[in-house]
Amino acid sequence: MNDRLADNTFDNNGVLQEPLERRLRPDRPQSNQPSNCFMGNVAPNGSVPSDLETKYPTCGLNRAAADVPSDLLAQTLCDTGFGSCPAGANYPVRTTVVLHPVPKSLPTMPNPCVNVPDNAWCSGGKPVS
């Protein structure tokens, strides 16, 4: 909430290529929360609603009602297996998790506790083990 999405290109987003996954949308499931704003974006696959940038040009406005695309619930129920799928939906069904190996060429992360006050994760500038 209260995010600014400006001057981006959204094309072929998502891995499943489902209709809602490819679109730019506000997705505000709760009312009375600071809204996101949208400006200067390019969305060849469209947005929901189609006048998104006109409807939400200002960040942080509290909207009285939630703003969730009507087909979002149907797609969510389809994806979770708790409902029937909308026409054209093609969510894969997975029964296992695939963990890919970490690339060996990645640099080691620097010590995250340097110059950090003592807390549950860092003590004396070193990670707590």
Side-chain angles (χ1 to χ4, degrees), residues 17-23 25 45 48 71 75 87-89 91:
Q17 297 302 305
E18 293 299 324
L20 282 179
E21 190 181 45
R22 294 190 304 258
R23 296 184 190 156
R25 62 187 188 266
N45 301 114
V48 177
D71 48 358
Q75 292 247 345
Y91 287 101

Side-chain angles (χ1 to χ4, degrees), residues 73-86 89 91:
L73 178 58
Q75 292 247 345
T76 302
L77 291 173
C78 171
D79 185 34
T80 60
F82 290 109
S84 60
C85 294
Y91 287 101

Side-chain angles (χ1 to χ4, degrees), residues 15-118:
V15 296
L16 301 176
Q17 297 302 305
E18 293 299 324
L20 282 179
E21 190 181 45
R22 294 190 304 258
R23 296 184 190 156
L24 183 58
R25 62 187 188 266
D27 287 355
R28 289 189 47 259
Q30 296 177 332
S31 58
N32 294 315
Q33 297 292 324
S35 67
N36 295 334
C37 61
F38 303 86
M39 59 200 71
N41 296 298
V42 176
N45 301 114
S47 65
V48 177
S50 59
D51 61 348
L52 183 68
E53 294 197 358
T54 303
K55 192 172 180 180
Y56 299 99
T58 306
C59 287
L61 298 178
N62 283 358
R63 308 227 183 254
D67 192 354
V68 178
S70 59
D71 48 358
L72 179 62
L73 178 58
Q75 292 247 345
T76 302
L77 291 173
C78 171
D79 185 34
T80 60
F82 290 109
S84 60
C85 294
N90 183 26
Y91 287 101
V93 176
R94 295 188 178 108
T95 56
T96 60
V97 175
V98 177
L99 294 176
H100 297 281
V102 176
K104 298 195 183 300
S105 62
L106 295 176
T108 301
M109 181 177 165
N111 181 352
C113 293
V114 172
N115 298 322
V116 173
D118 287 352

